[in-house]
Amino acid sequence: MFPDLSPGHPDALYGVSLCLAGLGLEDCIPPEIGNLIQLKELDLSHNRLCGGIPAFGTLLKLTSLNLRNNCLTGPIPKELGNLILLRKLNLANNYLRGEVPEEVTRLPSLLCVFLGNGGLRRGLPVLMNAWPIAFASQT
C-alpha cells in the first residue's frame, strides 16, 4: 500500500528520490504522486501495479522514471512530454498499448528509453530517429 501522498499530510514524502521497487505492490499507481513536485527519480519497478500510467505532468524536475516489470495497461500519457528534464524512461515489460505520443518522442533531455515487450504500435525506426542517442527495445 502506498503512503498518503496528499499535500500537507504528515506522511507525505518530499524527497527527491522515491524507490519502491520490488516490494510486491499491487493496485493502481496513485495520482497523488503528482503532488511530489520536487521528485527527481521515481522507481516503481518490479511490482504488480496495474491500471494506466498517471499523467505525471506536474513532476517537472523528474529525470528518471522506471515503471518496468509491472502490469500497467493502456496508452503512454502524452503529458509525459511535459517532463523536459527526463533523461531515462523505462516502461518495459508491461501491457501498454497504442503509439508512443509524439510529445514524448520530442523530450529534449531523454538519453535512454526502454519500451520492450509491450503492445506499442509505433515502429522501432521511428523511435530510433526520435531518440538518436540511445534506444533499447529490450531490457
Side-chain angles (χ1 to χ4, degrees), residues 118-135:
L120 298 171
R121 287 194 304 260
R122 194 145 193 182
L124 182 59
V126 173
L127 293 173
M128 288 178 72
N129 287 334
W131 295 307
I133 297 172
F135 177 83

Side-chain angles (χ1 to χ4, degrees), residues 22-39:
L23 298 178
L25 298 174
E26 298 178 345
D27 209 350
C28 296
I29 299 172
E32 291 83 8
I33 286 181
N35 296 333
L36 304 175
I37 59 173
Q38 299 300 319
L39 202 59

Side-chain angles (χ1 to χ4, degrees), residues 7 15-17 19 24 28-29 31 46 49 53 57 71 81 86 91 104 115-117 120 124 132 136:
V16 295
S17 182
C19 180
C28 296
I29 299 172
H46 301 281
L49 298 170
I53 299 173
C71 301
L86 196 64
L91 304 177
V104 174
L115 300 172
N117 297 332
L120 298 171
L124 182 59

Side-chain angles (χ1 to χ4, degrees), residues 1-2 19-29 43-50 68-71:
M1 189 53 107
F2 283 91
C19 180
L20 299 174
L23 298 178
L25 298 174
E26 298 178 345
D27 209 350
C28 296
I29 299 172
D43 187 348
L44 301 176
S45 64
H46 301 281
N47 284 294
R48 290 184 293 275
L49 298 170
C50 60
R68 173 185 176 187
N69 288 349
N70 279 290
C71 301

